[in-house]
Amino acid sequence: MTRAGIVRAGLVLGTLALVAAASPASAEIVSRESDITSIRLGQRIWVDDGSCKAGEIKQVTGTKLTPQGVSTVKQCVSRRGARPN
């Protein structure tokens, strides 16, 4: 393999590694917030507990690492976006 081929192969492998690392964490749907035992940074969990208005679902997202663990943000979002990957 030539030097250019080695460099090209390295770039392709590096790009694939970045794409894999940047892919969003998979989401899941639970019926109660108490069913969430742990959450990772960037992870989204949808809670279908009826607390949001019609056509929406509560989204809990792990946003920041604190000494106590991962802090979360809760918001109501459209159900159209609530589809697990």
Side-chain angles (χ1 to χ4, degrees):
M1 187 178 265
T2 66
R3 183 172 175 89
I6 292 172
V7 170
R8 190 173 303 131
L11 288 172
V12 169
L13 288 175
T15 301
L16 289 174
L18 284 174
V19 168
S23 63
S26 64
E28 61 182 280
I29 298 175
V30 296
S31 58
R32 299 176 305 205
E33 271 190 73
S34 61
D35 292 340
I36 302 172
T37 56
S38 66
I39 191 165
R40 296 180 308 273
L41 286 175
Q43 182 180 12
R44 294 179 191 159
I45 299 176
W46 290 300
V47 181
D48 193 6
D49 61 1
S51 62
C52 295
K53 65 182 183 180
E56 293 187 340
I57 191 167
K58 186 188 307 178
Q59 177 177 279
V60 180
T61 306
T63 56
K64 191 164 100 176
L65 188 58
T66 67
Q68 294 77 30
V70 177
S71 67
T72 61
V73 169
K74 301 168 192 167
Q75 62 186 12
C76 292
V77 297
S78 171
R79 281 189 176 271
R80 284 187 14 201
R83 295 196 178 105
N85 297 342

